[in-house]
Amino acid sequence: MKKYVIIGGVAAGMSAAARLRRLDEQAEIVVLERGDYVSYANCGLPYYIGDVITERSALLLQTPASFHQRFNVDVRTGSEAIAVDPTKRTVKVRELKSGREYDLSYDNLLLAPGGSPVKPAIAGADHPAIHTLWTIPDTDRLRQMVDDGAVKRALVVGAGFIGLEMAENLHARGIEVTVVEMAEQALSVIDYEMAAVVHRELLMKKVPFHLKDAVASFAANPEGGVTATLASGKAVAADLVLLSIGVRPNTDFLKGSGIKLGERGHIIVDDTLRTGSAGIYAAGDAIEVVNPLTGKQTAIPLAGPANKQGRIAADNMHGNRPRSYGGTMGTAIAKVFDLDVGVTGLTEKLCRAEGIACQSVIVHPNDHAGYYPGAAPLTFKLIFSPKDRRVLGAQCVGYGGVDKRIDVIAAAIKGKMTVDDLTEIEHAYAPPYSSAKDPVNMAGFAAQNILDGLLQVIGWRALQQIDRTKVTLLDVRTVEEFKGGSIAGAINIPLDELRARIGELPPQKPVIVFCKVGLRGYLACRILSAAGITDCCNLSGGYDTWCLATTSSDELDTVCPVASIKDRKAMEASSVPARRVVEVNACGLQCPGPIMRLKKEIDAISPGEAVAISASDAGFYKDAESWANSTGNILAEITAEKGIIRAVIVKGNGLPAPLPGRGNDKTIVVFSGDLDKALASFVIANGALAMGRKVTMFFTFWGLNVLRRHEPVALATGKNLIEKAFELMMPRGSRKLSLSRMSMGGMGDALIKGIMKNKNVPALEEMIELALAGGARLVACQMSMDLMGIRHEELIDGVELGGVAAYLEASEKADANLFI
């Protein structure tokens, strides 16, 4: 009769014990567990504290007594393994209550001791308000504190899965929660732009979070709680602090045993889960596993792999049938408030770190058919190999359907499938569950187009790094969307007008196209390619991804302005009570559907009446306010619940709604074409940019000459006689400008330029380049251009076209407006 000893009575250990009994009814099986509980739902602990799981007993899958009754396994709780002797094949055990120690022999030993939360050496970290969450007793303490009403404010340190799950559940109990994370993003296992969607969700739930910050010290405060001082100098007061900053393996008792441990203390095993010592196996959170995609050892503490490893280890210990463990690639999912976040395989940043060639694409399909109620968009990122087209990984964020897409990709990676295989994945389809072309198919199509050369894409990070003065940024969204915000320097030609207006694009310049989510951008690229403009690429994920990824967490409310809405005197709505409210369902509409539907409904009602519109596009949270402000209507209310945005907009008088306070942007109207005045304009503009201000320069009439190219440009259509006369009389570009006074036939112009050079003052041309590089918007008045016969292609790179509305919209956000 064989004797098996298992150290650890949770996921891997109990899975192995049950499997061993099913394989061998006669074997002696002993489980040693340091705590008082075995086989409990570790992953359910936050939800019991949040009262989502209301019965404590639901967490206890088995007790020692019930496990013994069903499986005839000797489960010894309160028994800690303190040493292992592989030569004698014994485990030294200490009974924690009595202190008695004894040796326990074994034929085969399974090490499944799990891990424990990391407790950093921070001054004041021994305060009784500071806790971790890992065991049933931890849960009982935290639940009691919350139930007693002792917790009004909580600080969660660490924005990983457990930290954010606890933030959600404490928030659900009416507690004010703040999150602090040392990294630049929440959920470091996903790429930054995907985490930015999580940041928006936290903002929408009014949960303050501090990224790239850490707790420097804790100190007791007079109210009985604790105050955390952050590295940034900020102070956060809390009645409860939850530390959730990582897990370390419980393997100290193995030191000196000869069992090989990794650098961080994890047990080293082979593909059969054997250690280097005879008869000893290991499984669960305490082991290093192989990532099958990188081929490297790593630690991935997840419940699913732990349970599977326990079963495989049991098979190999018994000798039933030799089985190998294929490694762990980290497939995981978490609920963060209403949002689901899933990941599998390699991320783009891990590929970069490991030197693995990869490409990626971001798509935003609905989770099910848009015409069926409740459809909401997913943000789906697919990672794939440009060499052999194999699927390497995926991340998905959304309000439903995330799990099944991640599961499909996990199976595809396991099966070594390619992006071409994804296009033919056969899925269960009905309108409530998917679309005829599932998001997995759509991601496959997009990747296939890239690899087949039908489309070039650029990521948000690459676009940040390029010199935007050397490319044309083309926004193919509608005029209404463009007014709500765009990438600095972009020109707007709506997709449906593009074929007729291709001639407006500056020649001989690469074109970067973008729309809201990427679909219209792809169509635009195909139109441009057919017209001979092949140096064109599409912004992956579109403007939505760009906005979230390029906006710091401190400024995220400018992209998703939710924090100020509640306090904006109900957006002045109290003085404009809605006489009638029209309910509109725009859920499932793809961009720009919700805004277009909103405009249609607002146009059909009278001032003082309102439209209550529901949309599943998360970007509508920002779009609704931007649209209302730019059209003279009033956003009276906006809420987000389970991915559905509901906005109540009162029709105003057509004038832009008053802003809560003017910004510190600067606007400059450049009417003059004189050299000295142009210099003054750009000196002021560059000074404002250096102070971190946003600058818009509006060039009209003679000021347009500042922006003209120095050399003649071949035009698609010729000029008439009057336009040619204007061209002859006006200076061509900044080099030909004259001083307003003392020009003296050009002598004064040359003199001032020479003095500027000697004094190391940049020339006007350099100042213009500096302003563009600094993010200034240079807007040429379309009406003045038409009157003076100036075409867009005659202007320098980086200039956008606009009318007086573009200038006025910018000036409303400015505290200084200059006319030069």
Side-chain angles (χ1 to χ4, degrees):
M1 182 176 69
K2 262 191 169 183
K3 183 177 181 181
Y4 301 100
V5 174
I6 298 171
I7 299 175
V10 192
M14 299 310 272
S15 176
R19 177 65 171 174
L20 283 168
R21 176 56 73 217
R22 291 193 294 268
L23 295 174
D24 188 346
E25 183 61 25
Q26 306 305 317
E28 181 183 357
I29 305 171
V30 180
V31 175
L32 302 173
E33 169 55 43
R34 182 173 55 182
D36 294 329
Y37 298 89
V38 295
S39 193
Y40 58 87
N42 189 284
C43 298
L45 303 184
Y47 299 100
Y48 175 61
I49 295 169
D51 209 30
V52 177
I53 298 171
T54 57
E55 297 296 329
R56 180 179 182 275
S57 59
L59 300 172
L60 305 175
L61 307 179
Q62 293 280 357
T63 65
S66 67
F67 202 83
H68 181 270
Q69 182 177 9
R70 175 161 294 182
F71 295 104
N72 190 25
V73 170
D74 180 5
V75 180
R76 304 180 187 180
T77 58
S79 297
E80 181 180 17
I82 58 174
V84 173
D85 188 332
T87 304
K88 296 180 180 179
R89 293 202 176 205
T90 59
V91 177
K92 183 171 286 294
V93 184
R94 177 186 296 136
E95 292 178 348
L96 296 180
K97 288 184 178 178
S98 67
R100 182 176 76 93
E101 296 183 1
Y102 63 92
D103 289 336
L104 180 65
S105 64
Y106 63 83
D107 294 312
N108 287 108
L109 172 65
L110 176 63
L111 303 173
S116 296
V118 172
K119 296 180 181 178
I122 299 174
D126 56 349
H127 191 283
I130 301 171
H131 296 262
T132 58
L133 176 64
W134 199 252
T135 65
I136 292 289
D138 294 339
T139 308
D140 290 339
R141 284 190 291 271
L142 292 170
R143 170 85 188 215
Q144 190 64 53
M145 290 177 67
V146 175
D147 287 350
D148 289 347
V151 182
K152 305 298 183 185
R153 300 167 298 177
L155 169 63
V156 175
V157 182
F161 283 155
I162 295 175
L164 292 184
E165 287 170 353
M166 275 302 296
E168 174 190 347
N169 281 280
L170 291 171
H171 181 272
R173 297 294 301 271
I175 296 168
E176 295 180 12
V177 183
T178 300
V179 178
V180 173
E181 169 57 52
M182 185 182 295
E184 68 172 356
Q185 65 173 80
L187 299 179
S188 60
V189 296
I190 61 178
D191 286 323
Y192 181 86
E193 67 273 18
M194 304 298 286
V197 186
V198 179
H199 301 164
R200 179 175 63 187
E201 181 72 9
L202 293 174
L203 182 68
M204 290 168 68
K205 296 302 180 184
K206 300 179 177 61
V207 174
F209 58 98
H210 304 284
L211 301 176
K212 293 191 289 187
D213 212 341
V215 176
S217 64
F218 292 107
N221 60 40
E223 293 80 16
V226 64
T227 297
T229 300
L230 308 186
S232 62
K234 298 173 183 174
V236 181
D239 307 306
L240 165 67
V241 175
L242 182 81
L243 299 177
S244 180
I245 56 178
V247 179
R248 61 173 185 82
N250 295 328
T251 57
D252 287 349
F253 72 101
L254 297 175
K255 292 177 181 177
S257 67
I259 296 171
K260 188 176 180 183
L261 303 178
E263 289 183 4
R264 294 184 294 165
H266 294 85
I267 304 166
I268 304 298
V269 296
D270 63 16
D271 63 349
T272 65
L273 301 178
R274 281 190 183 90
T275 69
S277 299
I280 301 180
Y281 295 74
D285 293 356
I287 73 169
E288 282 192 358
V289 295
V290 173
N291 183 318
L293 296 167
T294 65
K296 292 186 176 181
Q297 297 284 123
T298 187
I300 303 179
L302 293 171
N307 276 278
K308 298 176 183 70
Q309 292 160 15
R311 177 186 170 94
I312 292 171
D315 279 357
N316 292 333
M317 290 166 71
H318 179 264
N320 175 49
R321 179 174 65 86
R323 295 181 60 199
S324 296
Y325 182 65
T328 307
M329 57 187 180
T331 304
I333 191 167
K335 178 178 179 292
V336 182
F337 292 88
D338 295 333
L339 201 65
D340 300 330
V341 184
V343 59
T344 188
L346 299 180
T347 60
E348 191 171 7
K349 64 182 175 183
L350 183 56
C351 285
R352 288 198 301 266
E354 297 292 338
I356 298 171
C358 78
Q359 284 185 278
S360 69
V361 68
I362 298 174
V363 294
H364 297 270
N366 280 335
D367 60 348
H368 63 252
Y371 57 83
Y372 188 86
L378 299 168
T379 300
F380 191 117
K381 181 173 184 178
L382 183 69
I383 317 295
F384 52 95
S385 169
K387 296 179 179 179
D388 57 14
R389 307 171 76 96
R390 274 185 57 185
V391 179
L392 299 178
Q395 298 152 65
C396 190
V397 182
Y399 296 97
V402 169
D403 53 344
K404 69 177 181 179
R405 274 75 193 206
I406 288 297
D407 288 345
V408 167
I409 298 297
I413 296 171
K414 192 77 172 175
K416 300 182 179 179
M417 295 171 67
T418 67
V419 298
D420 306 292
D421 295 319
L422 295 188
T423 67
E424 298 182 25
I425 287 283
E426 187 175 337
H427 61 282
Y429 163 60
Y433 306 106
S434 184
S435 299
K437 290 184 283 191
D438 188 79
V440 170
N441 300 138
M442 297 300 294
F445 293 144
Q448 195 177 56
N449 286 338
I450 294 169
L451 293 176
D452 290 348
L454 293 176
L455 178 68
Q456 298 178 67
V457 294
I458 185 171
W460 66 271
R461 201 181 294 273
L463 179 55
Q464 262 193 324
Q465 295 170 351
I466 67 172
D467 183 351
R468 283 189 242 164
T469 65
K470 296 181 179 178
V471 299
T472 298
L473 280 174
L474 175 60
D475 186 338
V476 296
R477 298 175 300 158
T478 64
V479 173
E480 287 79 10
E481 291 175 282
F482 181 74
K483 287 180 179 178
S486 187
I487 301 175
I491 61 174
N492 178 222
I493 302 178
L495 175 65
D496 294 340
E497 301 174 19
L498 183 57
R499 289 182 178 87
R501 296 176 60 185
I502 286 179
E504 297 179 22
L505 296 176
Q508 310 302 319
K509 286 183 67 174
V511 180
I512 297 177
V513 180
F514 65 95
C515 63
K516 185 176 176 64
V517 297
L519 177 59
R520 284 175 288 173
Y522 165 60
L523 299 175
C525 281
R526 296 308 301 152
I527 291 171
L528 295 177
S529 178
I533 303 176
T534 56
D535 195 354
C536 168
C537 61
N538 189 25
L539 177 59
S540 185
Y543 183 67
D544 272 7
T545 296
W546 164 269
C547 249
L548 287 173
T550 59
T551 306
S552 71
S553 58
D554 292 337
E555 299 175 339
L556 195 57
D557 60 345
T558 64
V559 174
C560 179
V562 299
S564 59
I565 287 173
K566 184 177 179 181
D567 303 323
R568 202 176 293 178
K569 296 180 181 179
M571 298 297 292
E572 308 296 334
S574 58
S575 61
V576 192
R579 298 194 299 268
R580 181 171 70 96
V581 178
V582 178
E583 292 284 344
V584 177
N585 184 358
C587 292
L589 291 183
Q590 295 281 7
C591 62
I595 284 293
M596 300 302 293
R597 181 69 186 278
L598 175 59
K599 181 180 184 303
K600 177 183 176 182
E601 299 295 338
I602 287 288
D603 287 347
I605 62 176
S606 302
E609 297 179 337
V611 170
I613 181 169
S614 298
S616 53
D617 175 9
F620 188 64
Y621 216 131
K622 180 246 182 185
D623 292 345
E625 185 177 29
S626 296
W627 184 87
N629 287 340
S630 64
T631 55
N633 299 297
I634 300 167
L635 178 61
E637 178 186 341
I638 190 163
T639 58
E641 190 69 31
K642 296 188 182 301
I644 304 301
I645 312 300
R646 186 177 187 272
V648 178
I649 296 176
V650 180
K651 184 168 183 175
N653 56 11
L655 298 175
L659 296 174
R662 301 186 71 85
N664 54 13
D665 297 358
K666 315 298 176 189
T667 51
I668 304 173
V669 179
V670 184
F671 179 84
S672 172
D674 294 331
L675 174 61
D676 46 338
K677 295 175 183 176
L679 282 167
S681 302
F682 280 95
V683 167
I684 295 169
N686 282 307
L689 290 169
M691 294 174 65
R693 309 302 190 236
K694 294 181 180 179
V695 175
T696 299
M697 304 180 73
F698 186 72
F699 295 81
T700 183
F701 286 99
W702 316 117
L704 290 169
N705 293 313
V706 180
L707 304 180
R708 293 179 70 191
R709 294 179 184 272
H710 305 303
E711 305 299 331
V713 176
L715 303 176
T717 57
K719 295 187 176 184
N720 59 36
L721 184 61
I722 295 176
E723 291 171 337
K724 289 179 180 178
F726 266 111
E727 184 176 21
L728 289 172
M729 291 185 289
M730 294 188 301
R732 186 189 299 280
S734 58
R735 295 176 188 164
K736 299 293 185 180
L737 302 183
S738 299
L739 292 172
S740 59
R741 298 186 182 185
M742 297 173 57
S743 176
M744 298 181 291
M747 291 177 59
D749 309 337
L751 183 63
I752 193 67
K753 290 178 182 179
I755 295 172
M756 289 171 63
K757 186 175 182 180
N758 290 334
K759 298 289 185 180
N760 291 319
V761 177
L764 177 56
E765 294 73 37
E766 293 177 72
M767 290 190 187
I768 294 172
E769 290 179 4
L770 286 170
L772 285 167
R777 291 180 63 201
L778 274 55
V779 182
C781 176
Q782 181 69 70
M783 180 272 292
S784 298
M785 291 175 62
D786 292 342
L787 291 177
M788 302 173 73
I790 299 175
R791 308 290 171 79
H792 191 192
E793 53 264 48
E794 292 183 273
L795 302 182
I796 61 175
D797 296 340
V799 176
E800 59 184 279
L801 305 184
V804 93
Y807 154 67
L808 289 173
E809 181 185 20
S811 68
E812 287 172 349
K813 301 174 184 177
D815 61 358
N817 182 39
L818 306 178
F819 188 93
I820 298 177

